[in-house]
Amino acid sequence: MSLPEFWFLLIAVLWTGYFVLEGFDFGVGTLLPAVAKNDQERRVAINTIGPVWDGNEVWLLTAGGATFAAFPEWYASLFSGFYLPLLVILVGLIVRGVAFEYRSKHDDARWRSRWDLCIIVGSIIPAFGWGVAFGAILHGVPLDADHEYAGSVLDLISPYSVLGGFTTLAVFAFHGATFLGLKADGAVRLRANQWSRRLGPLALGLGGSFLLWTQVEHGRDATWLTLTLAAGGLALGVVANARGREGWAFIGTAASILMTAVTLFWALFPDVLPSSIDASYSLTVDNAASGSYTLEVMSWVAVLFVPVVLLYQGWSYWVFRRRVGGPRQTSQTNSTSPAATGPSSTASESAEA
């Protein structure tokens, strides 16, 4: 494996980790008004992601920094053509992050409701926007012979990229619902499991359509396997949730997002930004990469520090592994009893983010 190929693989891993971990954050924010009917319940829902949401966003920052250093031409052309969509996504992420920090700074119902709205909108925008962006990248963008973006923002919109946006929105919402079913307690947990049952078939339908379209237009023989595994993960999430196995439902949605990302990057390789004008104008892992010395130094840094970061984040998830408590229902159905939660059932606790 050459150094440019190694860095393409590492960037793909970073984006995959971001979608798997930040995906349930987006899902929780998107479903906030559906699963939480009062301030106490909203606090429970937010507290499930309170200790981890900002750590999950580090994957995005690292992926962006790695792209800038390892593939400067890819970074430059991408941000030239996708400037407005990426700016909208960035604003959504900023507003969402500020809302998490500020909603509890003032004891006023209207104050908190406004920040809750920011959480909802700030979760929906990137959940939809990332699907559109990656759909547009895989579909191809107007790059000229100098590898410069030669189109407008409308060239990024196509039926395929829009389907990608609705797919990520639905799958992340389903992922967030399974996460809430695993991490929350009381009424929030009950509603999350109800929404999981509603969102599962929708996510499976949209995800299956998007993956099949991807395979037909951009796939290769090997991606049939990853496509099948991605669809199987969603199916596992649907079946496990219907049987009250909350832990396995979350494993299924996480595995589906992981294998979907693998499918997309595998279908993209060796291009990093295909040209819709002429295939010879496309940016590839070779013509977009930095010099060998830069990549060599970066590789040593990555080998030394990436395992440390992974161990630290794994430890933080272990520390905050318990359920976040809320007002319990007087009657529990078999499908939501603690005995039926799968491999991750734990005791209830209440914690402020």
Side-chain angles (χ1 to χ4, degrees), residues 34-189:
V35 299
K37 301 303 183 181
N38 55 52
D39 185 67
Q40 184 179 13
E41 293 176 356
R42 286 191 292 272
R43 184 71 268 172
V44 169
I46 293 171
N47 281 349
T48 61
I49 59 174
V52 296
W53 71 267
D54 49 353
N56 293 342
E57 291 192 348
V58 172
W59 291 77
L60 172 63
L61 299 175
T62 309
T67 303
F68 173 77
F71 299 100
E73 276 213 70
W74 183 15
Y75 184 91
S77 298
L78 185 66
F79 275 79
S80 295
F82 290 70
Y83 182 82
L84 182 58
L86 292 178
L87 178 62
V88 172
I89 292 174
L90 179 61
V91 170
L93 291 173
I94 292 172
V95 170
R96 174 174 167 269
V98 172
F100 282 136
E101 300 294 338
Y102 274 80
R103 77 175 300 276
S104 297
K105 298 299 184 183
H106 182 49
D107 188 14
D108 180 75
R110 288 188 299 176
W111 168 274
R112 288 191 294 269
S113 66
R114 289 166 184 166
W115 286 118
D116 288 343
L117 179 61
C118 291
I119 293 174
I120 298 165
V121 175
S123 298
I124 292 174
I125 289 175
F128 179 79
W130 287 128
V132 173
F134 273 82
I137 290 172
L138 200 58
H139 186 66
V141 297
L143 289 182
D144 61 21
D146 296 322
H147 299 151
E148 294 183 359
Y149 189 80
S152 67
V153 68
L154 295 179
D155 292 306
L156 305 178
I157 306 300
S158 67
Y160 176 75
S161 64
V162 172
L163 177 60
F166 282 114
T167 297
T168 51
L169 180 59
V171 171
F172 288 164
F174 182 34
H175 192 37
T178 61
F179 178 78
L180 278 173
L182 183 65
K183 283 287 293 179
D185 211 343
V188 174
R189 177 186 179 189

Side-chain angles (χ1 to χ4, degrees), residues 228-240:
T228 302
L229 292 174
L234 277 180
L236 172 62
V238 172
V239 173

Side-chain angles (χ1 to χ4, degrees), residues 20-21 23-24 174-183 233 236-237 240-241 245-257 317 344:
V20 171
L21 298 177
F24 65 73
F174 182 34
H175 192 37
T178 61
F179 178 78
L180 278 173
L182 183 65
K183 283 287 293 179
L236 172 62
N241 182 263
R245 306 295 293 181
E246 295 163 332
W248 286 110
F250 179 74
I251 289 173
T253 56
S256 176
I257 294 172
Y317 272 89
S344 301

Side-chain angles (χ1 to χ4, degrees), residues 181 292 338:
S292 58

